[in-house]
Amino acid sequence: MHQEFFRTVLGDVPNSEMGLTYSHEHIVIEDSYVTAKHPEFLLNDVTKISDELTDFYSAGGRTVVDTMPANCGRNVLKSAQISINSGVHIIISTGIHLEQYYPEYHWRHTCSEDELTQLFIADIQEGIDQYDYTGPLVKRTSHKAGLIKLATGDGVFTKHQELIFRAVVNAHLETGAPILTHTNFGRQALEQALLFDKLHAKMDHVVLSHVDRAKDVGYNRAVLDTGVRIEYDSTFRWKEPEPNYTLNLLEQLLPEYPDQITLGMDMAKNAYWKSYGGSPGLNYLIETLPDFLKSKKMETYYDKLFFDNPKKLYSFFKTS
């Protein structure tokens, strides 16, 4: 019998133990090409990160999904230590991020579909490289990826991006690992979903991030109608006097699509972390969502958002 599990940086865990889950986070972003270009993204202080996740655990949090993929600031040894320190399960990603987070002549542009497929599979089944493919050596650790990521920008998918889609879906179908994507303000989310469907991905194990930034209820409904999962993470980003579009979308769409929506904070900037002296801090959703749902008489959806939907989405599915 297939035991349903999710794969954390410390090993496989029965999905019954996933608990309250944030579906799109940035827990470790090591000093790298990414942070050289974007110093506000540097998140590599094990003590500070552990402190924030310990507070998250104390508030009831149990699992976070770290969405930095291959050669994009991962440090699996630090991630493992943070998980040990805090007690929080951390799901680590493989895959490829937006082109802007890699040098112009990066290996992502020269690898074949099969080579990328095999790299993603190795991260999931063998273990992530201690050096995160910065070269010249690859030293695989015991810490495995539990998720595959890809990202697209504002325009029509390029041939290179389509190749990455195919490699990601190949690895997904081979390993049973779930898929998470980045969208730019929700742009191309519908096109992502349609391409995943065309490539025969398991749509209930695919989640598209940041779709709340698209704001429009009709557009979000069209994406959800494909059967894919979506993730909202901008609850704290909207500024007065504009509406809180994320909360508006939840109010409108949760009754229609209770099994397809998840939430996160996406705190890639260190200025969002209380342990780095910033705000609002990782516990923001735990602290604010219950009151919002209660005010709308929608308390029954709390478990869907934070427990039931992530448990289904981030579990590995049985491969043929």
Side-chain angles (χ1 to χ4, degrees):
M1 184 176 177
H2 178 62
Q3 171 70 51
E4 290 194 313
F5 68 92
F6 62 108
R7 183 157 292 167
T8 80
V9 71
L10 297 181
D12 294 352
V13 178
N15 73 354
S16 59
E17 297 178 24
M18 189 178 289
L20 192 154
T21 300
Y22 277 15
S23 288
H24 187 122
E25 301 310 320
H26 293 278
I27 304 302
V28 174
I29 307 178
E30 187 54 90
D31 198 5
S32 58
Y33 180 84
V34 173
T35 59
K37 296 286 185 179
H38 302 275
E40 69 274 17
F41 291 163
L42 185 65
L43 288 165
N44 68 345
D45 187 311
V46 170
T47 300
K48 289 179 179 178
I49 298 167
S50 298
D51 287 348
E52 188 111 4
L53 263 66
T54 298
D55 288 345
F56 175 70
Y57 188 95
S58 296
R62 290 297 179 268
T63 301
V64 293
V65 179
D66 191 338
T67 61
M68 277 315 232
N71 199 213
C72 207
R74 293 186 303 185
N75 185 323
V76 290
L77 299 181
K78 286 187 176 182
S79 297
Q81 189 60 53
I82 290 162
S83 183
I84 291 167
N85 292 350
S86 64
V88 175
H89 300 303
I90 302 176
I91 299 173
I92 301 292
S93 304
T94 186
I96 297 289
H97 210 323
L98 282 174
E99 286 84 345
Q100 71 192 56
Y101 297 130
Y102 300 88
E104 183 179 353
Y105 297 106
H106 192 265
W107 49 257
R108 65 173 287 167
H109 297 290
T110 55
C111 285
S112 68
E113 176 184 333
D114 184 61
E115 287 169 335
L116 287 174
T117 298
Q118 294 308 315
L119 183 147
F120 302 154
I121 291 173
D123 272 3
I124 296 162
Q125 295 186 338
E126 298 175 33
I128 295 171
D129 174 29
Q130 178 178 331
Y131 309 110
D132 196 20
Y133 303 121
T134 56
L137 303 176
V138 173
K139 184 177 180 181
R140 296 203 177 276
T141 67
S142 61
H143 308 297
K144 300 174 183 177
L147 181 74
I148 318 168
K149 180 173 181 175
L150 64 76
T152 59
D154 297 334
V156 175
F157 303 150
T158 65
K159 293 293 184 185
H160 172 61
Q161 289 170 343
E162 290 176 354
L163 182 151
I164 291 172
F165 267 92
R166 294 194 301 271
V168 164
V169 174
N170 292 343
H172 159 78
L173 295 175
E174 175 71 23
T175 64
I179 295 171
L180 176 145
T181 78
H182 165 94
T183 67
N184 264 4
F185 295 91
R187 299 183 189 110
Q188 305 297 319
L190 183 57
E191 288 80 0
Q192 283 189 4
L194 293 172
L195 182 51
F196 280 124
D197 193 40
K198 181 179 177 181
L199 294 172
H200 306 295
K202 304 288 187 183
M203 298 294 271
D204 56 345
H205 291 273
V206 178
V207 60
L208 315 186
S209 301
H210 321 314
V211 190
D212 50 331
R213 300 302 290 271
K215 303 178 183 178
D216 184 72
V217 173
Y219 183 77
N220 276 258
R221 185 178 284 118
V223 176
L224 287 160
D225 281 341
T226 68
V228 79
R229 278 46 185 153
I230 62 176
E231 184 271 338
Y232 293 161
D233 47 43
S234 292
T235 308
F236 72 97
R237 288 179 167 86
W238 308 110
K239 306 301 181 188
E240 297 286 356
E242 69 180 332
N244 191 310
Y245 290 100
T246 305
L247 297 181
N248 290 351
L249 287 165
L250 289 174
E251 183 177 1
Q252 294 292 317
L253 297 174
L254 269 173
E256 294 180 55
Y257 306 94
D259 301 322
Q260 291 175 247
I261 302 172
T262 59
L263 296 178
M265 288 290 288
D266 185 29
M267 295 195 334
K269 295 180 180 178
N270 48 48
Y272 293 145
W273 288 67
K274 283 191 174 180
S275 60
Y276 276 83
S279 67
L282 196 60
N283 287 357
Y284 176 87
L285 285 175
I286 297 175
E287 294 166 352
T288 62
L289 251 292
D291 287 344
F292 164 74
L293 293 172
K294 185 177 181 181
S295 74
K296 302 297 180 181
K297 295 182 168 53
M298 298 173 68
E299 302 99 311
T300 55
Y301 297 110
Y302 181 83
D303 282 356
K304 289 284 191 181
L305 291 166
F306 290 112
F307 293 84
D308 302 339
N309 295 349
K311 184 189 297 183
K312 174 62 175 173
L313 168 62
Y314 293 118
S315 292
F316 275 50
F317 58 89
K318 189 174 182 180
T319 58
S320 55

